[in-house]
């Protein structure tokens, strides 16, 4: 989607916008952070489990200059309002709407004793907002990279997603896991990232040589209003499951649901209330699917990988209950094509996007059919694109 030419055009337009808004404010530095898909391992990250995401070729850019005070002046070309905030005593504020996400990253750095300078920053993104491709984590990581560079500070690379997550949990109030910020920091072109969210051990897995397979994103264009509360509710349900299982197994030191293997869980399942049991079953079996998916990917066995994607979707729909009618329609529309290995919702769910893994030379027809079927069933003109697997967040030399 994003060619080198279109990236350069976006950069030039953004620098021009920065000059228009802030005048000739010195050297403009430009940073880029990608969106992401998650191939498999959904709702496992905040349960200390495995995930297999990849960064993609849509992104948010930031053009930034230093100020000589402690004010942040933020503008996004995707929103009408310009926001000013003082770095001292930063708190979440409804009035600041979109800007709470980048501000959460500044808040987290200051909380860790990294004193930041003021800055004038303009953002521009082509990650559709609220589409499950993690524009929120992209702007957090982007802001953190930008502020560290302006401050002339470096921190251990692993601390970037760790601090961004603290910002999302403590400043925004979403009890999210670390997957999104991690892949946006560590993504690598043509690679997926196999991450253990408990230990943060991670390994790149070559993925999707465009000659053999294509990843298609299908945006349902629906966003559930209750997504934030339903998400936090799942986090609570898993915590409840862990409490009961720890006591049943007689080991209080089990760090997370992912510390319980499938046999142990199957033995204890009946001691859990049914709803909690279904949530836990999803997490524990999904972890196994991630391990199998990594194995399949390493063997180039896309058929097995495809089956795992479908099993993951079914589990998210039936056990974890985070899918919705439109996501199910999108996945079913993809699966009608013989050229599709597998498909599933990607990201937290309740709307957003699904992905399909397809034969490269059949991808255009897969999209044509899915577009038609999805519109017939939902009345919505879905958005589709074939994504490339891209690098993580970085400063661009411009
Ligand atoms: P997603 O699924 O894309 O992560 P979220 O609802 O979690 O959706 O996050 C979307 C929020 O992220 C927006 O409301 C805004 O606050 C912030 N955001 C994302 N992209 C941009 C952008 N280009 N400019 C400004 N803010 C952005
Ligand atoms: Mg988000």
């Amino acid at each position: 989607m994003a060619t080198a030419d279109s990236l350069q055009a976006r950069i030039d337009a953004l620098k021009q916008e920065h000059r228009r808004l802030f005048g000739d404010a010195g050297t403009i530095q430009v940073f880029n952070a990608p969106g992401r898909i998650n191939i498999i391992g959904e709702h496992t990250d905040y349960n200390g489990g495995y995930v297999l995401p990849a960064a993609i070729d849509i992104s948010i850019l930031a053009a930034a200059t230093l100020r000589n005070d402690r004010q942040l002046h933020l503008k996004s070309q995707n929103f009408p309002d310009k926001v000013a905030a003082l770095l001292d005593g930063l708190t979440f504020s409804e009035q600041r709407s979109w800007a709470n996400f980048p501000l959460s990253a500044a808040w987290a750095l200051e909380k860790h004793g990294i004193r930041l300078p003021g800055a004038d920053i303009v953002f521009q993104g082509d990650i559709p907002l609220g589409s499950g491709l993690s524009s929120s984590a992209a702007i957090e990581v982007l802001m953190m990279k930008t502020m560290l560079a302006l401050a002339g500070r470096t921190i251990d690379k692993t601390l970037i997603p760790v601090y961004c997550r603290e910002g999302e949990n403590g400043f925004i109030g979403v009890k999210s896991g670390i997957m999104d910020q991690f892949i946006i920091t560590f993504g690598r072109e043509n690679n997926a990232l196999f991450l253990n969210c408990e230990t943060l051990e991670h390994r790149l897995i070559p993925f999707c040589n465009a000659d053999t397979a294509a990843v298609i994103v299908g945006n349902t264009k629906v966003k559930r209003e209750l997504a934030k509360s339903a998400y936090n509710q799942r986090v609570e349900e898993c915590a409840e499951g862990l409490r009961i299982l720890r006591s049943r197994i007689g080991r209080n030191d089990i760090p997370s649901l992912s510390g319980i293997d499938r046999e142990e869980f199957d033995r204890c399942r009946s001691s859990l209330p049914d709803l909690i049991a279904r949530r836990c079953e999803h997490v524990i079996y999904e972890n196994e699917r991630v391990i199998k998916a990594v194995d399949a990917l390493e063997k180039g066995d896309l058929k097995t990988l495809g089956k795992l994607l479908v099993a993951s979707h079914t589990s998210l729909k039936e056990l974890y209950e985070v899918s919705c009618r439109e996501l199910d329609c999108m996945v079913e529309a993809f699966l009608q094509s013989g050229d599709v290995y597998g498909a599933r919702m990607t990201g937290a769910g309740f709307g957003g996007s699904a992905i399909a893994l397809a034969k490269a030379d059949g991808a255009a027809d897969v999209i044509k059919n899915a577009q038609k079927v999805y519109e017939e069933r939902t009345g919505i003109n879905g958005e589709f694109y074939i994504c490339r697997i891209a690098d993580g967040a970085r400063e661009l030399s411009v």
Side-chain angles (χ1 to χ4, degrees), residues 357-378:
L357 184 64
K359 289 184 184 149
D361 54 10
D365 285 340
V366 170
I367 290 179
K368 220 184 277 172
N369 183 66
Q371 175 116 49
K372 183 170 144 286
V373 172
Y374 181 69
E375 185 160 8
E376 275 167 10
R377 291 207 191 154
T378 62

Side-chain angles (χ1 to χ4, degrees), residues 79-102:
F79 289 87
D81 45 331
K82 190 171 158 190
V83 171
L86 192 59
L87 277 159
D88 302 290
L90 264 185
T91 48
F92 180 91
S93 145
E94 286 290 348
Q95 279 95 47
R96 291 203 191 109
S97 69
W98 65 272
N100 284 304
F101 281 87

Side-chain angles (χ1 to χ4, degrees), residues 60 76 78-79 97-99 101 123-125 127-137 139 223:
I60 308 177
S76 168
N78 304 86
F79 289 87
S97 69
W98 65 272
F101 281 87
F123 299 100
Q124 185 274 331
I127 309 171
L129 308 179
S131 65
L133 303 176
S134 211
S135 69
S136 53
I139 203 164
K223 191 176 180 199

Side-chain angles (χ1 to χ4, degrees), residues 46-357:
Y46 54 82
N47 286 303
Y50 296 117
V51 292
L52 187 64
I56 56 177
D57 59 343
I58 48 176
S59 69
I60 308 177
L61 292 170
T65 51
L66 268 177
R67 295 176 60 93
N68 50 21
D69 57 18
R70 291 256 296 160
Q71 287 190 42
L72 294 174
H73 287 214
L74 308 180
K75 173 74 177 73
S76 168
Q77 293 193 285
N78 304 86
F79 289 87
D81 45 331
K82 190 171 158 190
V83 171
L86 192 59
L87 277 159
D88 302 290
L90 264 185
T91 48
F92 180 91
S93 145
E94 286 290 348
Q95 279 95 47
R96 291 203 191 109
S97 69
W98 65 272
N100 284 304
F101 281 87
L103 289 175
S104 72
W107 174 85
L109 286 172
E110 289 260 327
K111 186 164 86 75
H112 283 282
I114 298 173
R115 193 174 163 81
L116 299 173
D120 293 328
I121 308 177
V122 191
F123 299 100
Q124 185 274 331
D126 61 9
I127 309 171
L129 308 179
S131 65
L133 303 176
S134 211
S135 69
S136 53
I139 203 164
E140 291 161 15
V141 173
L142 181 62
M143 181 71 174
M144 193 163 284
K145 284 254 181 196
T146 302
M147 293 312 298
L148 284 167
L150 292 183
R153 296 285 298 263
T154 49
I155 56 175
D156 185 303
K157 195 171 174 184
T158 306
L159 290 177
I160 293 176
V162 169
Y163 289 179
C164 284
R165 180 196 183 188
E166 286 178 17
E168 187 148 338
N169 292 180
F171 191 88
I172 307 282
V174 178
K175 298 178 180 179
S176 58
I178 199 166
M179 170 176 74
D180 296 345
Q181 294 88 353
F182 208 95
I183 184 60
I184 288 163
T185 305
F186 281 89
R188 180 85 57 81
E189 193 176 6
N190 292 328
N191 282 271
L193 188 90
F194 177 35
L195 170 67
N196 176 333
C197 297
E198 184 72 44
T199 62
L200 302 187
E201 278 174 280
H202 53 99
R203 179 156 66 88
L204 289 168
I205 314 280
F207 177 57
C208 224
N209 174 343
D211 300 336
T212 54
V215 178
I216 302 167
V217 173
N219 181 358
T220 63
K221 299 222 263 189
V222 292
K223 191 176 180 199
R224 295 276 172 270
E225 283 310 312
L226 291 173
K228 182 171 160 182
S229 57
Y231 185 97
N232 285 346
Q233 190 189 345
R234 293 299 177 282
V235 177
E236 292 300 330
E237 288 162 356
C238 290
E240 167 77 1
L242 178 61
R243 268 193 298 276
I244 299 171
L245 287 166
R246 272 181 181 153
S247 117
R248 182 71 217 270
I249 295 166
R251 272 182 47 212
N252 250 328
D253 60 345
I254 301 172
S256 67
L257 275 184
S258 303
I260 298 166
D261 67 29
R262 178 213 270 251
E263 286 73 29
E264 214 165 21
F265 172 72
D266 288 345
R267 268 199 305 277
C268 302
R269 196 185 196 287
S270 59
S271 56
L272 294 164
D274 181 59
L275 181 119
I276 303 292
R278 287 189 287 124
R279 306 297 192 242
C280 296
E281 181 179 328
H282 166 74
V283 172
I284 290 165
Y285 283 52
E286 181 82 348
N287 278 325
E288 281 198 357
R289 282 189 285 270
V290 180
I291 292 168
K292 287 181 184 160
V294 169
D295 184 53
L297 203 50
E298 289 185 320
K299 290 183 178 138
D301 180 357
L302 297 181
K303 275 195 181 155
T304 299
L305 179 60
K307 284 188 189 143
L308 291 162
L309 299 193
V310 175
S312 169
H313 185 80
T314 306
S315 177
L316 288 158
K317 176 185 171 189
E318 291 173 3
L319 298 177
Y320 216 69
E321 297 179 283
V322 290
S323 186
C324 61
R325 181 171 163 268
E326 293 83 358
L327 277 170
D328 295 340
C329 285
M330 183 65 83
V331 167
E332 285 158 23
F334 279 137
L335 292 176
Q336 283 187 355
S337 300
D339 284 338
V340 168
Y341 296 106
R344 61 182 287 277
M345 53 163 270
T346 197
F350 316 107
S353 299
I355 53 164
L357 184 64

